[in-house]
Amino acid sequence: MSQKHSLFIVVFFVFQNFWGQQQQQEDFILSFGSCNKQTLENVLWKEIAKNKPAVWVWGGDVVYADTDDMAKLEKDYQQQWQQKDYKEFANSVTVLGTWDDHDYGLNDGGEEFSVKKESQQLFLDFIKVPKEDPRRKREGVYHSQVFTTPKGNVKVIVLDTRYFRTSLTKAVNSSKRYQPNSYGKGTVLGEKQWAWLQEELTNSKADFNLIISSVQLLSYHHGFESWGNFPHEVDKFKELIKNSNAKGIIVLSGDRHISEFSLTPIEGMSYPLVDFTSSGLTHVYSSYSGEYNPYRLGTVVSEISFGLLKFDFDQKKVRFQIRGKNNVLLQEYTQVYN
């Protein structure tokens, strides 16, 4: 990205934040976030509720358990439900979501986790998935749901980037944790989930299609977990969304203990792909001092925060907001989907 372009983006963000304080009528509001320690006071739920979202989407790391002891994992989930503000909030909105490694049970874990079937049932219990739901008998927590309003609808497609994910490649001669696999080696979603995602997008009639991934899709130079560790899967994802003809595709991600907007054009699509990362509901990468992300818009937010998406169906527009303590607007980006 050129310096001129970067300057324009910064000015644009400042302009938006200045004028964006006025009240705007929204057709549909969705909230999301990730990285939440059940052992810490959860201070953001009342702030999230002030925005009157219809939906909350967990982007992973609902609790920090890191265990193959299912009795401990169950207690950790129960401890989260004992957070009074969370209980009140979760009982007032629709709750969806996926897991990441710490609630899955194995740090940076994937398909090799020995008790993933048992862990899946406890996660589904936590988000109150009925016993007759297909997710109870299917491997993986992936799921979709359509939310309908008088003006339009939003489809939320929740991916599972843990259950089927194959091994990562440890970085060699580098301070980073991982490096990309050889092109074509391994998978993030697994064959069945890829087929399901294709069907969900190809058959979607929604005005907007949100795809929830617990790890970042676009940013990968940091060397931690991301889709970029499987570069062929990133290319496959881009081809899939382009060929699906689904409208208004947006990616929401977590994991990183920072929040940021990443964006890239995709040939054949009339709008850029946004990967909105919201990570750090209770704790963050407070020592963050910078990392390269060529897709970034604006700056990294390294304080506790949550994400909001505010939909305008008439103008085919979405306002993406990062908000923090006291519901303060920390950063905002608006995208039109023609």
Side-chain angles (χ1 to χ4, degrees):
M1 186 180 293
S2 68
Q3 289 185 333
K4 183 177 180 181
H5 188 198
S6 297
L7 178 60
F8 169 78
I9 292 295
V10 171
V11 171
F12 176 68
F13 269 77
V14 171
F15 178 84
Q16 276 199 312
N17 287 340
F18 178 78
W19 290 105
Q21 302 302 317
Q22 60 186 13
Q23 292 293 323
Q24 297 187 37
Q25 185 65 41
E26 312 292 348
D27 297 321
F28 184 76
I29 299 175
L30 178 143
S31 56
F32 81 107
S34 62
C35 301
N36 183 83
K37 281 189 177 179
Q38 73 282 4
T39 56
L40 298 177
E41 182 183 5
N42 290 194
V43 301
L44 291 180
W45 298 113
K46 285 185 177 179
E47 309 310 321
I48 299 168
K50 289 176 182 177
N51 298 279
K52 297 182 171 30
V55 183
W56 168 261
V57 181
W58 282 107
D61 291 337
V62 172
V63 296
Y64 279 68
D66 297 289
T67 184
D68 58 6
D69 180 344
M70 294 299 100
K72 178 187 182 302
L73 179 57
E74 185 174 16
K75 287 180 180 178
D76 289 335
Y77 280 130
Q78 289 173 349
Q79 187 173 8
Q80 178 57 32
W81 268 110
Q82 290 166 6
Q83 294 269 356
K84 180 175 179 291
D85 291 346
Y86 175 71
K87 181 181 290 188
E88 290 180 359
F89 175 73
N91 285 330
S92 68
V93 300
T94 298
V95 176
L96 302 175
T98 190
W99 53 14
D100 201 39
D101 53 344
H102 299 294
D103 44 359
Y104 183 58
L106 180 65
N107 186 43
D108 290 357
E111 65 170 357
E112 74 278 11
F113 188 43
S114 61
V115 289
K116 59 186 180 181
K117 291 184 178 181
E118 294 83 353
S119 180
Q120 175 174 331
Q121 296 304 315
L122 292 179
F123 175 80
L124 297 177
D125 288 345
F126 175 79
I127 59 173
K128 298 189 179 301
V129 172
K131 296 298 183 183
E132 65 274 12
D133 190 279
R135 282 169 287 177
R136 292 290 187 174
K137 296 181 180 179
R138 182 176 65 194
E139 292 188 310
V141 300
Y142 57 93
H143 173 67
S144 73
Q145 189 164 335
V146 176
F147 296 89
T148 301
T149 80
K151 289 189 174 183
N153 49 54
V154 175
K155 186 172 190 177
V156 178
I157 301 172
V158 178
L159 299 181
D160 186 330
T161 64
R162 291 292 162 190
Y163 203 99
F164 309 98
R165 199 217 67 207
T166 53
S167 60
L168 302 167
T169 300
K170 292 188 185 245
V172 178
N173 300 322
S174 172
S175 60
K176 295 178 180 179
R177 186 177 298 177
Y178 302 112
Q179 65 185 37
N181 288 2
S182 299
Y183 197 90
K185 180 182 178 182
T187 183
V188 177
L189 300 183
E191 184 177 347
K192 288 183 179 179
Q193 189 177 184
W194 267 117
W196 172 85
L197 176 59
Q198 181 175 11
E199 184 176 346
E200 289 292 324
L201 287 173
T202 302
N203 296 330
S204 178
K205 306 301 181 185
D207 298 286
F208 295 95
N209 291 272
L210 309 185
I211 301 177
I212 317 303
S213 168
S214 68
V215 295
Q216 290 181 309
L217 176 80
L218 295 181
S219 178
Y220 69 91
H221 294 83
H222 45 71
F224 296 106
E225 290 189 287
S226 72
W227 280 70
N229 291 318
F230 302 81
H232 56 290
E233 295 272 272
V234 176
D235 290 345
K236 183 175 181 177
F237 184 92
K238 291 177 179 178
E239 280 297 306
L240 174 57
I241 64 174
K242 179 182 72 173
N243 294 331
S244 72
N245 293 318
K247 300 176 186 175
I249 296 174
I250 298 163
V251 173
L252 307 181
S253 58
D255 177 60
R256 291 299 323 288
H257 303 276
I258 57 171
S259 295
E260 64 179 344
F261 302 119
S262 300
L263 179 152
T264 191
I266 294 180
E267 186 177 356
M269 292 178 63
S270 62
Y271 58 87
L273 177 65
V274 173
D275 180 353
F276 179 6
T277 302
S278 180
S279 177
L281 287 166
T282 58
H283 58 297
V284 291
Y285 184 8
S286 57
S287 61
Y288 174 85
S289 59
E291 65 183 30
Y292 180 58
N293 176 5
Y295 306 103
R296 183 182 298 128
L297 292 177
T299 58
V300 164
V301 172
S302 56
E303 56 185 279
I304 63 170
S305 64
F306 58 93
L308 290 177
L309 283 76
K310 299 184 175 184
F311 296 85
D312 182 328
F313 292 104
D314 291 332
Q315 299 186 50
K316 299 180 180 178
K317 182 174 68 176
V318 180
R319 285 200 296 153
F320 302 90
Q321 295 184 337
I322 301 171
R323 289 183 176 268
K325 288 182 180 179
N326 302 313
N327 200 33
V328 170
L329 179 62
L330 301 173
Q331 204 161 132
E332 183 175 63
Y333 173 71
T334 299
Q335 179 66 50
V336 176
Y337 293 84
N338 290 321

